[in-house]
Every structure is written in C-alpha cells, then in structure tokens.
Amino acid sequence: MSVPGVPRPLRVLAGGMHVVAGVLLLVIAVLTVADVLSRTLRDTSILGTAEISAQLLVAVAFLGLASAELHGRHVTVGLLTDRLGPKGSAVAAGIRTVVLVLVGAVLLWGLVQVLISSVDRGETTNGILRLATWPAKTTLLLSFALFFVVAIGRSVAEWKVTR
C-alpha cells in the first residue's frame, strides 16, 4: 500500500510492530488461560502472571500506534475541517504538522529522560518477579517515535495536496 509522505521502510516497520502487538496479545491470552486453569486444577497460580501480562500490555497498547496512523484508523473529528475549503484545509494541515512536531519533540524528550532514569536507578516492577521496567519504557519511546514520524509524514503530504 502506498501512503504519501511515508517511506516504505517505515511502513514495513509499522506493520511489523502491529504484528508483534497482535502476537503479544495472544501471549497474554494464553498466559491468562493457563493461569486460570492452573488455579482451577491445581489451586495455585502461575508465578508472575499479572506482572508479565502488565508489561506485555504496555507493548500491545502502543506498538500499533504507527500502523493505526498510517492507515487512518485513529478517531478523528471532522466537524470543522470537513467544512473548510482548500485554503482552510491547507492551513489546518500546516497547523497539525507544527503541533505534531512540537508535541512529539516534548513527549519524546520526556520519554528519553524517563528511560534514562529507569536504567540508571535499576527500576523494577513491585511484584514477585521484580522485572526491569526499561523494556516497556523503550517500547513506549520507539512506538511514539515511529508514530510521530508517520503522522508528520502524512500531515506534510496532506498539506502538499491541499495547498
């Protein structure tokens, strides 16, 4: 599928992250079913199921962001923008691009700081397994970075078409 403003390698990466999110959701489901069966049949839980599921859920929630943006599957409100003419649409696309760059820069800077802090402090979950939190924070950072690159690419392409 050709998406204006988004190079093929980024489309492939977004699609791959989307697939990984789906596989991880399946892993969470299997782990949860196994835990329920274990509690029912053996009267004991699988150690760390809630902790592992919580960490994987972060990845599931955010790995699909770029793919959703790429295919226009995010919720949009066209109440105002649908009524704009070509010039108004171009201005709206330009404003959207500027806002995306600013919000993306601030959010990504903040996520980098949180990730660095997490690694420096050796941050872990509070559960029995004491899992490191940096993998989930790295997933957040990479997911948002790709989302913003895709969103900005689409927004610039939209601006070029409408002006």
Side-chain angles (χ1 to χ4, degrees), residues 35-56:
D35 187 51
V36 169
L37 286 174
S38 178
R39 280 187 279 138
T40 302
L41 300 174
R42 300 180 358 191
D43 201 27
T44 183
S45 226
I46 297 174
L47 189 65
T49 297
E51 246 178 304
I52 293 168
S53 294
Q55 293 292 302
L56 293 178

Side-chain angles (χ1 to χ4, degrees), residues 103-126:
V103 170
V106 170
L107 184 63
L108 293 175
W109 179 82
L111 285 171
V112 166
Q113 299 309 309
V114 167
L115 176 59
I116 289 170
S117 173
S118 173
V119 170
D120 286 348
R121 293 181 297 119
E123 187 178 72
T124 62
T125 59
N126 291 328

Side-chain angles (χ1 to χ4, degrees), residues 12-86:
V12 170
L13 182 58
M17 289 169 71
H18 182 93
V19 169
V20 169
V23 169
L24 291 178
L25 186 58
L26 182 62
V27 169
I28 292 170
V30 168
L31 186 58
T32 302
V33 168
D35 187 51
V36 169
L37 286 174
S38 178
R39 280 187 279 138
T40 302
L41 300 174
R42 300 180 358 191
D43 201 27
T44 183
S45 226
I46 297 174
L47 189 65
T49 297
E51 246 178 304
I52 293 168
S53 294
Q55 293 292 302
L56 293 178
L57 197 54
V58 170
V60 168
F62 293 99
L63 283 173
L65 277 178
S67 180
E69 174 62 24
L70 189 64
H71 299 292
R73 292 187 181 138
H74 284 294
V75 174
T76 59
V77 179
L79 187 62
L80 176 63
T81 56
D82 287 349
R83 299 185 192 320
L84 300 175

